[in-house]
């Protein structure tokens, strides 16, 4: 599926508003715990059959956001709606039903598959939990899913340790597809794989999306990877979205200094082409004690007095292009 041209706008399948997830961190005897603001007021929309790429440095809150959307880590505030229906705070029975429409592909294909279960048991587990079909129908469904992700049915009785990393990730994808979800969080699904295997898995996800109209939140720290799978991209820093735009526009005209620095770090395969690397000063602040005003100001080359006193609002500077920077128009 080509990602180089803008796509027609679709009604949001997933709507996230003001989502927050904080963690209490002990701060010694007789002191109240400190708050780590892992996800701090996030708004996102993803249309059916669309992919939103979510990028940022390790520890910025990307995975926590994905898990909060899926209610694997219930959010402290905000709303998540799938096809207009709220998924926050559902009773157990309704939450279980919601799981059929929202699934996850985990980052580590070595840790996310039980070493004590066969491939058939792993892929069939969602069908067992939701009591879908007869045993014979479940077996046939597992055969179909393995074929869809490019694995032979002959591997059904083998264990995860008998497969390569790319094959294990295909097993994880088959498990995520078992219930025919409408939305999938892909949490760094290729970061643990070799480059040649990465392309195979990315092509598979693109193909599945085109065939099944699945919406993806594709989480990664690699902007070069995200570019090839996403219609739009959101850049996250210390629990907040600092820039979001259609993929083609974000790469052509990044507005936030942090996005510009990330893009400058992408390796260029052409040795004759030179790209000026933007080196950020200072260390990444901790989410336990973020800087006042703009959290990026301690590393930003554009920082001014206003940045320490006033937190920038995520605002639209061009159609579909939002930036949280006081100087985004400059």
């Amino acid at each position: 599926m080509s990602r180089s041209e803008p796509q027609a706008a679709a009604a949001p399948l997933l709507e996230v508003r003001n989502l927050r997830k904080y963690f209490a961190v002990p701060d010694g005897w007789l002191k109240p715990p400190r708050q780590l603001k892992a996800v701090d007021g996030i708004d996102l929309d993803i249309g059916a059959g669309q992919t939103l790429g979510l990028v940022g440095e390790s520890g910025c809150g990307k995975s926590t956001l994905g898990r909060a959307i899926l209610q694997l880590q219930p959010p402290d505030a905000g709303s998540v709606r799938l096809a207009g229906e709220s998924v926050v705070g559902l009773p157990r029975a309704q939450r279980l039903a919601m799981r059929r429409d929202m699934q996850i592909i985990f980052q580590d294909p070595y840790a996310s598959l039980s070493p004590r279960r066969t491939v058939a048991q792993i892929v069939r587990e969602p069908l067992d939990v939701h009591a879908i079909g007869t045993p014979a129908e479940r077996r046939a469904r597992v055969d179909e899913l393995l074929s869809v992700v490019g694995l032979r049915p002959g591997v059904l009785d083998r264990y995860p340790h008998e497969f390569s990393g790319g094959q294990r990730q295909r097993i994880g994808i088959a498990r995520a597809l078992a219930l025919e979800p409408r939305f999938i969080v892909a949490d760094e699904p290729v970061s643990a794989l070799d480059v040649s295997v990465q392309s195979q898995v990315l092509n598979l996800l693109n193909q599945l999306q085109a065939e099944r109209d699945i919406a993806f939140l594709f989480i990664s720290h690699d902007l070069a990877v995200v570019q090839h799978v996403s219609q739009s991209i959101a850049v996250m820093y210390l629990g907040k979205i600092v820039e979001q735009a259609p993929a083609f526009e974000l790469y052509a005209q990044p507005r936030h200094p942090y996005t510009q620095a990330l893009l400058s770090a992408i390796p260029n395969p052409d040795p004759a082409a030179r790209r000026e690397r933007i080196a950020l000063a200072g260390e990444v602040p901790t989410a336990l004690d973020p800087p006042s005003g703009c959290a990026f100001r301690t590393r930003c080359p554009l920082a001014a007095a206003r940045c320490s006193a006033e937190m920038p609002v995520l605002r639209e500077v061009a159609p579909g292009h939002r930036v949280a920077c006081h100087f985004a128009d400059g």
Side-chain angles (χ1 to χ4, degrees):
M1 182 185 300
S2 174
R3 308 289 174 179
S4 59
E5 297 298 330
Q7 305 290 316
L13 172 69
L14 181 81
E15 299 174 86
V16 177
R17 295 290 180 268
N18 197 32
L19 199 67
R20 301 175 188 271
K21 180 62 183 177
Y22 299 166
F23 296 98
V25 179
D27 193 26
W29 292 101
L30 303 177
K31 291 184 178 180
R34 303 168 69 188
Q35 282 193 328
L36 189 153
K37 299 180 178 181
V39 175
D40 193 17
I42 299 294
D43 294 341
L44 291 176
D45 287 338
I46 307 178
Q50 301 288 298
T51 297
L52 173 66
L54 182 65
V55 298
E57 293 167 293
S58 296
C60 71
K62 304 186 301 296
S63 293
T64 302
L65 173 59
R67 290 171 179 268
I69 289 173
L70 296 177
Q71 310 302 296
L72 297 177
Q73 291 177 322
D76 297 309
S79 66
V80 179
R81 303 182 74 86
L82 184 74
E85 299 292 329
S86 175
V87 303
V88 175
L90 293 176
R92 184 180 183 281
Q94 290 179 266
R95 187 168 64 249
L96 183 63
M98 175 270 294
R99 297 277 182 231
R100 297 186 61 167
D101 286 326
M102 305 175 77
Q103 289 290 308
I104 184 169
I105 301 169
F106 292 99
Q107 175 179 357
D108 189 349
Y110 297 90
S112 62
L113 305 179
S114 172
R116 299 182 179 180
R117 294 189 167 215
T118 65
V119 170
Q121 292 171 327
I122 289 170
V123 178
R124 195 185 65 227
E125 182 178 15
L127 304 174
D128 294 339
V129 170
H130 291 266
I132 296 175
T134 65
E137 289 170 339
R138 294 176 197 177
R139 177 80 180 206
R141 175 65 173 156
V142 171
D143 288 344
E144 176 193 352
L145 289 166
L146 291 178
S147 176
V148 165
V149 300
L151 293 175
R152 295 178 291 104
V155 306
L156 284 170
D157 296 321
R158 293 166 60 183
Y159 290 85
H161 73 270
E162 301 178 69
F163 297 89
S164 68
Q167 290 172 321
R168 293 188 194 194
Q169 196 60 292
R170 288 173 183 267
I171 295 168
I173 293 171
R175 178 177 60 184
L177 293 173
L179 300 174
E180 299 185 352
R182 290 186 284 176
F183 170 68
I184 293 178
V185 172
D187 188 5
E188 306 227 24
V190 297
S191 64
L193 306 178
D194 293 338
V195 173
S196 60
V197 181
Q198 285 185 13
S199 63
Q200 296 172 15
V201 173
L202 292 175
N203 289 337
L204 173 61
L205 293 177
N206 280 340
Q207 177 186 340
L208 292 171
Q209 182 178 59
E211 293 173 351
R212 298 165 183 254
D213 208 30
I214 301 170
F216 282 98
L217 176 65
F218 190 96
I219 298 171
S220 179
H221 63 274
D222 189 338
L223 272 163
V225 169
V226 170
Q227 181 180 15
H228 295 291
V229 297
S230 306
Q231 284 86 18
S232 60
I233 297 174
V235 181
M236 196 168 180
Y237 187 81
L238 282 187
K240 294 182 177 293
I241 300 298
V242 297
E243 184 164 11
Q244 183 176 352
F248 70 95
E249 183 172 337
L250 185 120
Y251 282 84
Q253 193 174 12
R255 299 290 192 99
H256 197 283
Y258 179 58
T259 309
Q260 294 167 359
L262 290 179
L263 289 174
S264 76
I266 298 176
N268 195 323
D270 183 358
R274 292 185 175 273
R275 175 185 286 140
E276 184 178 352
R277 176 74 180 269
I278 300 175
L280 297 176
E283 299 292 330
V284 181
T286 172
L288 279 170
D289 187 22
S292 61
C294 176
F296 185 63
R297 67 176 176 80
T298 57
R299 306 171 69 197
C300 181
L302 304 179
R306 180 185 180 187
C307 301
S308 62
E310 182 182 344
M311 181 181 296
V313 176
L314 189 64
R315 58 194 173 89
E316 191 168 67
V317 296
H321 195 151
R322 302 187 299 158
V323 186
C325 178
H326 296 308
F327 307 106
D329 297 321

